[in-house]
Amino acid sequence: MIRPPKPASRPEKVSFWRYLRLFRADILSAQPAKLYRAKMAVFRTPFFRSYLLNQPDLIRTVLKERPMDFPKSDRISEGLRPLLGDAVFLTNGATWQRQRRIIDPAFEGGRLRDSFPAMVAAGQGAVARLPGGVVEIEEHASHAAADVIFRTLFSLPIEDRIATQVFTQFRAYQRSQPILNLAAFVPMPRWMPRLHRRRTRQAARAIRDLIAELTARRMAEISAGTAPDDLATKIMTTPDPQTGTRFDVDEMVDQVAIFFLAGHETSASALSWALYLLACDQDAQDRVAAEAQALGAAPSFSDLARLTFTRNVFREALRLYPPVPMMVRETTQAEAFRDRIAPRGSQIVLSPWHLHRHSLLWDTPDEFNPDRYETEAGKTCLRDAFIPFSAGPRVCPGAGFAMVEGPLLLAQLIGANRFETTGDIPIPVAHLTVRSRDGIWLKTTPRGQK
């Protein structure tokens, strides 16, 4: 088995201001090694306390049993507001409940089956664009995932003018915006500037302007009766069953921004790491290629059931490199966790990055082993200690979408090309999602070509 790279941990004890500097540079390497074995950890700052929960029953309490008692922390939203506004990823309470009542029907029933041909077309486009030789695979994975989201959301290929511009601006945004900024650590009044980088603000504004153009155009098509039956139309025409209201243009811009973040950025991250892991393990890659080639050039939705090993590879990429490495909730009252009392207003940190590599839960947690999910221990961890899409009522509405898209794109790319490492070892860092610090460079060769 291979042991893919993970960032070095920081020293056990550092000053708060040193921790701030480390955190701003990269969340992952700013954490101590003990979090890979701790059931809970407490972090004290001059302004608040954070409680990292690494124990499955405690995580279950927060995400599944009492989610409304643990709303999303405003601290996580500080760095994302310029792009996401009041998107469903950031809101709480009645606002969040209304948003989910409108959004969830778009991802139910046969919608995945309806979206499948668009995913296949995006994968075929990705195969056609991929050159031979050494390539930076994160860029190609991002291109493919963006193509999927535009085809399924707005019935537009990535070659569309606006789609191309959104994709380009988003690349600039995700490289310049950390998940948390200074306001996540230091209480700041609303009137005070949030110290977002200028490039980040400019990219966010450009993305939102482009999405607003797409949304207004779709509103006009809906009014004229000429709108295609895709995810955007479904969401924009679905009324809240309780109030009868629909999203207006401004609200839809917020939601499309998070769809693009969740449906493109996270999928691209997982796909990139999956391709790297298979480049490191040629035997596993050959097994994926065999499953892919058995599907043929035009797979149907029912064929997905045959990608058993490929799906486990994608799961293993999500485990080792969860796109969203940390989630933050807040207590609305004093809470007892193990032997500690977390006061009202405490920050509750749930870290897929550490939970997925926890040495007390997973066998050989740092090894790439897709077959682990066929064992009883692996199935137990999959149920209790695997949360790449969160869990409970706030689970990502596109989780099922991602678990179709990811294995499909992986199979299409591996079925057509062999991937090999170049000797450059990618270092994981957390931007908006878990990416490589300097990209992921792989050698590609069309299958059948020596």
Side-chain angles (χ1 to χ4, degrees), residues 296-317:
S300 66
F301 186 74
S302 60
D303 288 332
L304 284 175
R306 297 157 61 187
L307 296 178
T308 306
F309 184 72
T310 306
R311 188 174 300 106
N312 284 340
V313 168
F314 194 70
R315 283 190 179 120
E316 190 72 336

Side-chain angles (χ1 to χ4, degrees), residues 72-339:
K72 287 213 171 180
S73 171
D74 284 341
R75 297 182 186 279
I76 197 70
S77 68
E78 292 283 2
L80 298 174
R81 289 283 179 199
L83 176 65
L84 301 184
D86 287 323
V88 66
F89 183 73
L90 302 180
T91 54
N92 287 304
T95 299
W96 169 79
Q97 290 174 320
R98 171 181 174 268
Q99 290 171 336
R100 286 297 294 252
R101 288 195 298 266
I102 295 173
I103 291 169
D104 285 354
F107 294 93
E108 292 175 352
R111 183 59 60 174
L112 268 177
R113 185 181 294 274
D114 294 341
S115 299
F116 187 74
M119 295 183 190
V120 172
Q124 291 168 339
V127 170
R129 284 190 301 270
L130 192 67
V134 175
V135 300
E136 200 289 287
I137 205 62
E138 282 189 330
E139 181 176 355
H140 288 279
S142 292
H143 204 153
D147 198 8
V148 169
I149 202 65
F150 273 109
R151 287 176 186 270
T152 56
L153 190 61
F154 282 107
S155 299
L156 295 173
I158 193 64
E159 290 78 15
D160 178 84
R161 174 185 63 84
I162 295 180
T164 298
Q165 290 177 359
V166 171
F167 170 66
T168 302
Q169 291 290 346
F170 209 93
R171 290 282 290 173
Y173 183 88
Q174 70 97 355
R175 286 292 183 180
S176 67
Q177 174 59 57
I179 291 177
L180 299 179
N181 71 347
L182 182 61
F185 298 94
V186 181
M188 300 171 70
R190 281 289 164 197
W191 55 265
M192 192 170 179
R194 264 24 192 187
L195 304 179
H196 296 292
R197 296 182 177 101
R198 181 180 179 186
R199 186 174 59 166
T200 302
R201 295 195 308 270
Q202 290 174 335
R205 187 162 50 248
I207 292 167
R208 290 182 63 84
D209 287 347
L210 290 164
I211 291 173
E213 184 179 344
L214 280 175
T215 303
R217 189 165 74 189
R218 178 53 56 86
M219 286 283 194
E221 292 170 343
I222 291 170
S223 297
T226 59
D229 182 23
D230 51 24
L231 289 177
T233 296
K234 176 67 175 176
I235 293 166
M236 293 167 73
T237 57
T238 297
D240 176 359
Q242 293 190 12
T243 66
T245 60
R246 295 179 171 87
F247 287 144
D248 60 27
V249 171
D250 289 340
E251 290 176 307
M252 193 62 189
V253 170
D254 291 345
Q255 307 316 323
V256 172
I258 187 56
F259 295 153
F260 198 81
L261 172 60
H264 151 256
E265 180 64 17
T266 57
S267 295
S269 170
L271 180 60
S272 300
W273 288 110
L275 289 167
Y276 171 73
L277 292 167
L278 289 174
C280 294
D281 189 334
Q282 292 293 312
D283 289 340
Q285 185 175 161
D286 288 342
R287 292 172 66 182
V288 170
E291 286 190 344
Q293 290 165 355
L295 295 184
S300 66
F301 186 74
S302 60
D303 288 332
L304 284 175
R306 297 157 61 187
L307 296 178
T308 306
F309 184 72
T310 306
R311 188 174 300 106
N312 284 340
V313 168
F314 194 70
R315 283 190 179 120
E316 190 72 336
L318 288 168
R319 181 185 72 83
L320 288 165
Y321 301 102
V324 179
M326 293 187 187
M327 301 173 279
V328 186
R329 301 292 190 265
E330 188 167 305
T331 56
T332 54
Q333 60 190 21
E335 298 285 352
F337 293 119
R338 292 178 62 82
D339 58 348

Side-chain angles (χ1 to χ4, degrees), residues 44-58:
R44 295 175 176 84
T45 80
F47 310 105
F48 59 88
R49 289 186 182 181
S50 293
Y51 296 79
L52 184 140
L53 307 183
N54 246 356
Q55 187 169 305
D57 63 317
L58 300 181

Side-chain angles (χ1 to χ4, degrees), residues 1-5 272-286 313 320-321 367-368 370 414 418-426 440-443:
M1 295 298 174
I2 66 165
R3 293 172 66 90
S272 300
W273 288 110
L275 289 167
Y276 171 73
L277 292 167
L278 289 174
C280 294
D281 189 334
Q282 292 293 312
D283 289 340
Q285 185 175 161
D286 288 342
V313 168
L320 288 165
Y321 301 102
E367 290 186 359
F368 170 61
I414 293 293
R418 178 170 294 280
F419 292 81
E420 299 172 275
T421 57
T422 63
D424 294 319
I425 299 176
I440 298 176
W441 296 87
L442 299 176
K443 179 184 176 183

